Each structure stands twice: as structure tokens, then as C-alpha cells.
Amino acid sequence: MSEQQHRHKAGFETRAIHAGYEPDPTTGAVIPPIYATSTYKQDGVGGLRGGYEYSRSANPTRTALEGALAALEEGERGFAFASGLAAEDTLVRATCRPGDHVVLPDDAYGGTFRLFAQVEAPWGIEHTSAAVADVDAVRAAIRPGQTKLVWLETPTNPLLNIGDIEALASVAHDAGALLVVDNTFASPYLQQPLTLGADVIVHSTTKYAGGHSDVVGGALVARDLDLADQLTFHQNAIGAVAGPFDCFLTHRGLKTLGVRMDRHCDNAERVVEFLSSHPAVSEVFYPGIETHPGHAVAARQMRRFGGMVSFRVTGGEEQALRVCERAEVFTLGESLGGVESLIEHPGRMTHASVSGTELEVAADLVRLSVGIETADDLLADLDRALSGG
Ligand SMILES: Cc1ncc(COP(=O)(O)O)c(C=O)c1O
């Protein structure tokens, strides 16, 4: 199957397994080898083999992953970075200059907010936070001529709010800004923002894309050639690239993304049903719940509703902390999107960096990354943790 067919015709799982790499012509190796090399022998000065000259600029293991990412997000070109935040910083430097302005989600991932508030702001890039579920609020936060990026997470972290990608793309474009979608929570299996008008995708591939909690990585996927060329330049000029072993691990994870996501969603639905009727739980956040304010938009733009679930407990912060500490199958830890279930207290852990800001989260909130273990074991574990047994 040609690369063209992989990208435009084949189904998602076929692309996940085959796009980006053809079996090695010399050995037939079915899986991209880990090219642990910094440089490449040239056939005479400037005589590059396949365009490779130095591994910051390009490395075949990374090329394979980047091709797969572009195919899954249906974009022009993919870029792999050392972390999600490295990808974000590269994107900002490629698209913004001092004096420019960015609209951020008002419950963005804490590290993204910290990047803008404490790293980009001192370099002259301003930001305003707006609720992603409120298209008018995002439009009102835009400063015509100054806003270069409208940044969207959907679902958001940790409150699982939903932004309407198509509507926000047109709001951004009317103002001459790009719509950036951090697709970490949904993954390209559940949602493909570029097909809905977004301009560029951000991923922490550390999460569902890699899927096994064994590698930190990030990615960008650009929809058009102009932006892709700017990102190609900045990826090399800044140099925050993913190494070949990390690319190998991430690419290996990506191949099973579809089957993993379906099981994450199956298990999350069981967990939501269980929590919704538990007396120690006061509120459950999941876009698959019909009364969730973003349900209709999520049902339109997502294949299913994902593996992330947040909930508030009736007993305040103390109980939230106890639930996190008592759970056993759910491992107490940061991060998300791996095969194992994780539990955390956003206020004290992932979102501690936004404490005291407009992004602060409720102290009685618990976040779950529902893994792919046996669902009954997950429910029994939550029951024990919530009941204090
Ligand atoms: C939604 C989201 N975007 C970006 C990031 C940053 O990615 P990384 O930790 O790989 O730098 C994270 C990390 O938790 C995240 O949850």
C-alpha cells in the first residue's frame, strides 16, 4: 500500500500499524529499527542518502513516527519532540513574536498555563484565559490583530469541558489567528481536529499515543504546508527533538491506539455509572453523561468519550486525599493515558502550579485515568477507597 493510500484511504487501525514506514528494503525489518546514530556518511560532499545528515534535523526512527502521527491526525506533516511542553514551546516560537497574544482555556493543563504565565509572558507573549465551552467568551477574549493563537483543549484537563472545534476554528480564522488543539486527552482515534478546521495539533505523546507509561514525548501535526515548513525550521533550530529510542517506544504504542482506546472508553463508562450512584460522590465529570453541558458537541465531534473521569466527593479535600491514598488498583500518580489506571488529586498534584490563579481547581476533586484492567476490579477498588474499608 502506498504512503498516499495509507494517509487518505486506509482505516484508522491500518494507518496506525502501517503508515510512516515500509519494511526496510535491505533486511525486510517490519518494525522501524532504532537508528542510534547522530550522523550519516555522505556519498561525497552534500551527497546525502535519503536526506539524512544529522539526527537533530532528521532520524529515520523519528521520521517513521512523524509519518504515522501525520497520517492518524490527517495532517500535512508530523513532528516529534522530547516532551509535550517542548512541542508547545516550539509551536509558540514558530508562530508568535513579542507583543502577540494567545487565548488559553480557563482550565488548561497546569503545565501549559505555567509555560505561558512564567516562560512566554516574560518574553512578551500575552495571554487571556477563556472558557472553551463558551464560544462567545473565546471570541471576546480575542484581541484583533494581536491574537495569533486560539488554544483549545477538548476535553479539558481536569474538568472534561468540551470546546466546539468547528465553531472555534471559524472564530479564530475570522480574527486571522490559528486554532491550536491539544488532542492529548481524546487522541486521534476519538477525534481528528484538523478535519474540523483546526490548524495544528499538540500532543503529549507521553499519554494515550505512547500508552504504556514508559516514555515522555510530544508532537505537533500541521494541517498545511506553510505552517509545516515553519515548524520544520523551528524543530531543527531549537532542537527539542525526541530521541530514536523514545520514538521507537511511542511508535510501538501508537500501533494499538484504537484497541486500547475502545477498552479505555468501555471501562470509563462502567466507572462513571458506578460513581454516579455512589453516596460519597457529589458530582461526576464525563462528556459521555447526557446532562454534561458539552455532551451534544462531544457526541458530534468525538467517536466516543474517552478514558478520563473526574469526580468530587461529599467529604471535602480530606476525603479526596484519602480516596487517592486508599486506592490500590488505581495507582496514585500523575500522568494519564497508560494501560494502568491512575488516580490523583489535581489540586495538590497536576494542577498545584495553578493554585491561587484563575485556573485553580476544587480541593474535593479527584481525577481518574481509567486503564484497561478488568472493569470489575476497578469498581471494587473505587468502592473500597470511597467507603473507607
Ligand atoms: C493535556 C496535556 N497537554 C500537554 C501536556 C504536557 O506534556 P508533557 O508532560 O509530555 O510535557 C500534558 C501533560 O500532562 C497534558 O496533560
Side-chain angles (χ1 to χ4, degrees):
M1 195 182 285
S2 72
E3 184 64 15
Q4 178 80 356
Q5 283 170 314
H6 282 316
R7 289 177 68 151
H8 299 296
K9 301 267 193 301
F12 185 89
E13 291 84 350
T14 308
R15 278 178 280 147
I17 291 166
H18 296 286
Y21 180 71
E22 289 294 330
D24 181 80
T26 314
T27 63
V30 169
I31 297 299
I34 301 170
Y35 281 88
T37 186
S38 58
T39 191
Y40 304 84
K41 177 174 166 37
Q42 302 192 8
D43 299 326
V45 174
L48 307 181
R49 300 183 197 176
Y52 294 100
E53 62 179 330
Y54 184 61
S55 278
R56 171 165 34 74
S57 316
N59 173 286
T61 318
R62 197 173 92 216
T63 304
L65 169 62
E66 293 178 335
L69 288 164
L72 294 183
E73 290 287 6
E74 300 196 29
E76 177 65 33
R77 205 177 299 159
F79 304 86
F81 293 87
S83 71
L85 284 173
E88 293 181 18
D89 185 43
T90 303
L91 174 61
V92 174
R93 290 176 198 237
T95 53
C96 296
R97 297 291 172 270
D100 287 345
H101 173 258
V102 175
V103 179
L104 291 180
D106 70 354
D107 59 349
Y109 164 61
T112 297
F113 182 74
R114 181 180 55 203
L115 176 73
F116 279 96
Q118 296 187 42
V119 180
E120 312 297 0
W123 289 96
I125 295 164
E126 299 172 28
H127 63 273
T128 306
S129 299
V132 298
D134 184 345
V135 175
D136 291 333
V138 173
R139 190 184 290 111
I142 288 178
R143 299 181 191 164
Q146 195 191 354
T147 302
K148 293 294 172 339
L149 301 177
V150 173
W151 196 284
L152 175 60
E153 283 180 32
T154 181
T156 61
N157 176 9
L159 291 179
L160 290 318
N161 287 315
I162 299 294
D164 183 329
I165 298 169
E166 233 170 339
L168 291 170
S170 89
V171 164
H173 295 160
D174 285 351
L178 300 177
L179 181 70
V180 180
V181 178
D182 182 331
N183 207 23
T184 298
F185 267 39
S187 90
Y189 180 68
L190 298 182
Q191 154 182 299
Q192 290 162 322
L194 297 181
T195 67
L196 298 170
D199 299 285
V200 56
I201 301 296
V202 170
H203 273 287
S204 170
T205 53
T206 316
K207 313 296 171 357
Y208 288 106
H212 295 77
S213 306
D214 52 8
V215 58
V216 170
L220 298 174
V221 182
R223 188 172 56 148
D224 73 35
L225 201 55
D226 272 0
L227 183 58
D229 285 344
Q230 287 178 47
L231 294 177
T232 299
F233 171 79
H234 283 82
Q235 183 192 39
N236 179 52
I238 296 171
V241 295
F245 187 61
D246 289 358
C247 290
F248 168 84
L249 284 174
T250 304
H251 199 167
R252 181 164 72 158
L254 210 51
K255 288 173 191 280
T256 56
L257 181 64
V259 287
R260 283 188 287 107
M261 289 313 292
D262 272 331
R263 183 60 69 88
H264 283 295
C265 293
D266 291 344
N267 283 359
E269 287 168 13
R270 292 279 309 277
V271 164
V272 166
E273 193 187 352
F274 170 80
L275 292 174
S276 298
S277 59
H278 200 287
V281 173
S282 58
E283 193 173 3
V284 182
F285 302 88
Y286 188 65
I289 298 174
E290 278 179 21
T291 53
H292 183 291
H295 177 71
V297 174
R300 201 168 63 231
Q301 68 190 18
M302 296 177 77
R303 189 198 292 248
R304 294 184 68 183
F305 303 104
M308 298 302 296
V309 179
S310 294
F311 63 99
R312 297 177 77 175
V313 291
T314 52
E317 180 171 34
E318 205 178 302
Q319 190 192 14
L321 294 171
R322 267 205 321 272
V323 169
C324 292
E325 282 163 7
R326 277 204 201 110
E328 289 173 5
V329 183
F330 280 85
T331 302
L332 177 60
E334 303 206 355
S335 200
L336 59 109
V339 290
E340 62 289 305
S341 292
L342 297 176
I343 190 166
E344 67 118 2
H345 183 264
R348 297 267 188 117
M349 295 170 65
T350 47
H351 290 64
S353 63
V354 295
S355 151
T357 73
E358 66 266 38
L359 274 75
E360 183 168 303
V361 294
D364 58 7
L365 187 75
V366 174
R367 190 188 79 180
L368 303 176
S369 170
V370 180
I372 64 172
E373 299 95 334
T374 308
D376 288 342
D377 294 334
L378 299 179
L379 304 191
D381 193 44
L382 288 174
D383 198 23
R384 199 166 43 235
L386 281 162
S387 314

